[in-house]
Amino acid sequence: MIVRKRILELLENDSKLTDYQISTMLGMKKEEVKKEIGEMEEEGIILRYSTLVNWEKAGVEKVSALIDVKVVPQRDVGFDEIAERIYRFPEVRSVILMSGGYDLSVEVMGKSIKEVARFISQKLATIEHVQSTMTHFVLKRYKQHGVILNDKEKDRRQVICP
Amino acid sequence: MSLKTNRDHRVSPIVESLPPSGIRKFFELVANTKGVISLGIGEPDFVTPWHIREACLYSLEQGYTMYTSNSGLPELRSEITKFLVRSYELDYDYDKEIIVTIGASEAVDAALRAIITPGDEVIIPEPSYVSYMPCAVLAGAEPIIVDTFARDDFRLKPEHIERKITPKTKAIILCYPNNPTGAVMGREDLEEIAALAVENDLIVISDEIYSELTYNGRHVSMASIPGMKERTILVNGFSKAWAMTGWRIGFAAGPEDIIGAMVKIHQYTILCAPVMAQMAALEALKNGGDEVEKMVLQYDQRRRFVVNRLTEIGLDCFEPRGAFYAFPSVKITGMNSGEFAEELLREEKVAVVPGDAFGRAGEGFIRISYAASMKNLTKAMDKIEAFVGRRVKTVSNLCQV
Ligand SMILES: Cc1ncc(COP(=O)(O)O)c(C=O)c1O
């Protein structure tokens, strides 16, 4: 299991690492790494290899909102069924069940404020058992998935030293 | 003494006799080349963990801007003793047996000055970090160089030094895990050297600055070998494991008389280590363990990658078990260290340090620092592969002619 954890940690940080690199870094055989990764893809542990993009820097306008959703849990299925009705929408980037003052935290992304607002009022708020929504528009992202978006830290070392 | 004093010399002949720091010409060449991938850097590529930097900011807000006691903040000395207990079961009195210094560098200097009577001999195994020999000379000692070898994984063997010990021998300087080779000495290796030190009543200055950066197996401190605590000056610091090179903070632990002498020198020449760096070091020792562990894991992964690649490329490399250096031989290319480093820089823009910068025993080797990102290590290894490929072809062609 520790091997899987180590492979996942490496890939989560850099999905472009090759089987060869991973195998040498962990002191394994290349075939073993290939096999483990293949199995984890099969098992749905590795879901996809994606890229973390700073869209603002790329000059692409994206509007996101975080919405606190209060719901009435349903007998037998609890929150899961309502969550599913929400996460099936492609506009929804993430759905998280929360402890505290509300139930689901939903991130919605769209091309404009209008588009996002329309989705919330017409689609999200009207779902049965959704009691209330509180929408917070994202103004600026500083850090995402553990990565600082505009990091001023760089290699300041002398080019060579004993 | 002659009346004709040394006014002819504006600069002391002793200082003039010292080699210019490292291989300055090569360093300048690197500095003047654009777009270099440097594997020649002897310091972590990590920035100091944020919680340590934040602790320093907080201390500044609190107004910690004064001198501290000469030997360092008592809280820091106390934390250092706890670190030595938990790491090596070594028990020191924080009041009399610990001094906080301006990096391990000052600790080595003060240790030598504290014990040397002019004319004493100090044994220095090479390849060696560049400052021991000059510090010994400045303290008035006669440096006695002994070579260590790749066939022994660059460990110091008693037979290397036995013949060099004379009635004038005062001390041995050890550095394991080693810069530049990455060699470590296990308990049994240390015991053999310790036996000689006890038998000949020698002091050991043990620079253990890379103690936390070991892979497969924990570091063993020379001071923890029976009979050695009373004759070991243990030098360590925060530069490497906690990625704090620029803070200039380190320490020494040792017998009361010697640490007392070091404090005397330090009080007149330095006064005290900077308080903000001391506050940061305090935080590092109290809460820095997890961050060190994460960095060690990364160094270890890069180490395996680099050693693997070097072996594939055909550069013979023993497995370094500590620090963040690999020290492969470049003999198959038919070049010496300096030529290899210069031509690699010129042709592939990859900087490594020629092994002879660390003494003649380093000739024929290069030092590769893996304190660099995987991306840069991968690129640099590909470039070294191309370079070596060309050279080895040329060598075999020449042989056929
Ligand atoms: C073996 C060794 N000792 C001491 C030092 C200097 O350490 P500090 O920054 O604590 O003065 C270095 C730095 O490269 C080193 O490699």
Side-chain angles (χ1 to χ4, degrees):
Chain A
M1 273 318 97
I2 183 79
V3 163
R4 283 191 160 195
K5 180 162 170 269
R6 292 275 180 261
I7 294 175
L8 289 171
E9 284 166 352
L10 288 176
L11 283 176
E12 188 182 31
N13 190 47
D14 181 2
S15 59
K16 282 177 116 177
L17 285 177
T18 62
D19 295 345
Y20 171 80
Q21 285 173 314
I22 295 173
S23 68
T24 56
M25 289 166 85
L26 300 181
M28 298 169 67
K29 289 211 181 68
K30 199 169 132 189
E31 295 69 40
E32 286 173 327
V33 171
K34 218 184 173 82
K35 182 166 156 280
E36 285 293 341
I37 291 179
E39 283 173 8
M40 288 193 285
E41 287 170 354
E42 287 283 302
E43 291 168 35
I45 294 171
I46 294 174
L47 294 169
R48 76 167 176 198
Y49 300 93
S50 64
T51 303
L52 187 60
V53 179
N54 185 343
W55 284 109
E56 195 185 318
K57 208 166 193 168
V60 177
E61 190 97 17
K62 298 243 179 193
V63 173
S64 324
L66 295 172
I67 305 144
D68 310 343
V69 182
K70 265 195 190 154
V71 302
V72 188
Q74 286 179 284
R75 206 181 177 86
D76 300 332
V77 291
F79 294 101
D80 293 355
E81 197 147 294
I82 306 161
E84 182 170 356
R85 293 213 35 204
I86 296 173
Y87 65 62
R88 288 285 170 206
F89 287 106
E91 294 89 336
V92 172
R93 304 286 301 170
S94 70
V95 177
I96 307 167
L97 179 64
M98 307 291 287
S99 65
Y102 60 98
D103 304 305
L104 296 172
S105 175
V106 176
E107 185 181 3
V108 173
M109 198 179 253
K111 286 200 269 302
S112 65
I113 291 191
K114 224 159 136 187
E115 186 183 294
V116 171
R118 189 174 335 114
F119 173 78
I120 294 165
S121 60
Q122 295 184 0
K123 297 288 196 310
L124 188 61
T126 57
I127 293 173
E128 203 186 354
H129 308 298
V130 166
Q131 221 171 36
S132 70
T133 61
M134 165 100 82
T135 302
H136 313 273
F137 279 99
V138 172
L139 299 182
K140 181 169 180 177
R141 284 179 202 277
Y142 294 97
K143 189 175 185 180
Q144 200 170 9
H145 298 296
V147 179
I148 297 168
L149 294 186
N150 282 308
D151 204 345
K152 292 192 272 297
E153 271 175 18
K154 55 174 193 203
D155 196 342
R156 296 180 202 277
R157 296 176 296 168
Q158 308 285 308
V159 281
I160 194 161
C161 83
Chain B
M1 210 183 279
S2 117
L3 273 180
K4 198 158 181 283
T5 54
N6 291 325
R7 256 180 242 126
D8 302 346
H9 305 281
R10 275 168 70 86
V11 169
S12 145
I14 298 172
V15 175
E16 292 217 301
S17 78
L18 298 176
S21 82
I23 22 148
R24 194 176 298 143
K25 230 179 78 207
F26 180 66
F27 284 16
E28 276 165 16
L29 198 61
V30 177
N32 292 328
T33 312
K34 286 222 168 59
V36 173
I37 299 179
S38 183
L39 306 185
I41 309 180
E43 65 176 316
D45 57 317
F46 300 104
V47 177
T48 309
W50 177 251
H51 73 99
I52 297 173
R53 289 188 268 164
E54 204 272 339
C56 171
L57 294 176
Y58 182 66
S59 76
L60 287 174
E61 282 171 2
Q62 299 277 301
Y64 280 93
T65 62
M66 283 58 175
Y67 293 135
T68 69
S69 110
N70 292 131
S71 52
L73 288 167
E75 302 89 311
L76 175 56
R77 279 181 278 134
S78 164
E79 261 331 296
I80 289 169
T81 59
K82 286 185 205 158
F83 166 78
L84 295 171
V85 169
R86 73 176 175 263
S87 303
Y88 320 116
E89 294 176 13
L90 273 172
D91 212 351
Y92 286 97
D93 177 349
Y94 79 93
D95 206 25
K96 302 193 180 74
E97 297 177 321
I98 303 282
I99 177 175
V100 176
T101 55
I102 311 289
S105 302
E106 192 220 338
V108 169
D109 179 43
L112 282 162
R113 287 201 271 167
I115 60 170
I116 293 301
T117 309
D120 285 351
E121 293 174 355
V122 172
I123 293 178
I124 302 174
E126 282 187 348
S128 145
Y129 178 56
V130 294
S131 70
Y132 306 141
M133 191 275 277
C135 282
V137 170
L138 288 171
E142 178 80 29
I144 304 296
I145 303 301
V146 302
D147 292 353
T148 59
F149 305 96
R151 61 167 185 269
D152 303 317
D153 288 354
F154 287 107
R155 285 169 302 175
L156 182 64
K157 293 285 182 188
E159 56 269 26
H160 299 152
I161 50 174
E162 250 160 351
R163 279 174 299 120
K164 304 273 187 162
I165 295 174
T166 73
K168 285 198 204 159
T169 311
K170 182 69 185 267
I172 312 177
I173 303 182
L174 295 185
C175 172
Y176 299 95
N178 184 264
N179 178 6
T181 63
V184 300
M185 298 258 285
R187 184 171 298 280
E188 277 141 43
D189 301 316
L190 291 173
E191 276 167 358
E192 292 181 339
I193 304 301
L196 280 179
V198 172
E199 189 187 328
N200 296 285
D201 193 17
L202 306 180
I203 291 170
V204 171
I205 298 176
S206 187
D207 179 351
E208 303 181 13
I209 188 85
Y210 293 100
S211 65
E212 302 311 289
L213 307 184
T214 58
Y215 318 101
N216 8 355
R218 282 194 61 84
H219 174 70
V220 181
S221 173
M222 185 48 132
S224 70
I225 303 298
M228 287 309 292
K229 188 166 174 253
E230 66 252 37
R231 56 179 67 257
T232 300
I233 308 173
L234 192 172
V235 172
N236 207 326
F238 299 87
S239 287
K240 310 296 172 170
W242 287 271
M244 292 178 69
T245 46
W247 298 79
R248 311 307 307 123
I249 188 93
F251 62 87
E256 183 180 341
D257 56 341
I258 296 178
I259 295 295
M262 288 170 68
V263 172
K264 210 187 223 175
I265 298 166
H266 175 86
Q267 113 195 351
Y268 293 127
T269 55
I270 303 289
L271 224 165
C272 69
V275 64
M276 47 282 256
Q278 293 194 52
M279 295 301 283
L282 187 58
E283 171 67 18
L285 282 181
K286 276 184 163 163
N287 300 312
D290 290 354
E291 296 286 333
V292 173
E293 214 173 284
K294 277 189 223 160
M295 291 190 274
V296 169
L297 181 65
Q298 291 205 38
Y299 288 135
D300 189 21
Q301 293 172 346
R302 300 165 182 179
R303 175 185 75 103
R304 290 164 191 270
F305 173 75
V306 164
V307 173
N308 240 282
R309 286 293 282 132
L310 288 171
T311 311
E312 279 182 354
I313 291 167
L315 296 181
D316 218 11
C317 183
F318 89 102
E319 189 196 339
R321 296 266 171 99
F324 35 61
Y325 308 108
F327 203 63
S329 161
V330 296
K331 284 186 190 105
I332 60 152
T333 62
M335 286 182 277
N336 67 31
S337 308
E339 289 162 354
F340 185 98
E342 267 185 48
E343 290 177 30
L344 177 67
L345 178 71
R346 201 166 303 126
E347 292 177 26
E348 298 288 348
K349 297 196 174 192
V350 172
V352 298
V353 180
D356 61 343
F358 307 100
R360 87 177 161 232
E363 178 51 82
F365 297 85
I366 54 168
R367 189 193 73 175
I368 288 181
S369 161
Y370 51 84
S373 67
M374 264 306 281
K375 202 164 105 191
N376 278 346
L377 287 171
T378 305
K379 267 197 231 161
M381 287 300 144
D382 290 348
K383 285 165 177 279
I384 292 174
E385 183 163 43
F387 176 78
V388 171
R390 289 197 298 273
R391 292 311 142 124
V392 173
K393 226 178 279 160
T394 330
V395 171
S396 53
N397 284 349
L398 283 177
C399 292
Q400 279 163 17
V401 171

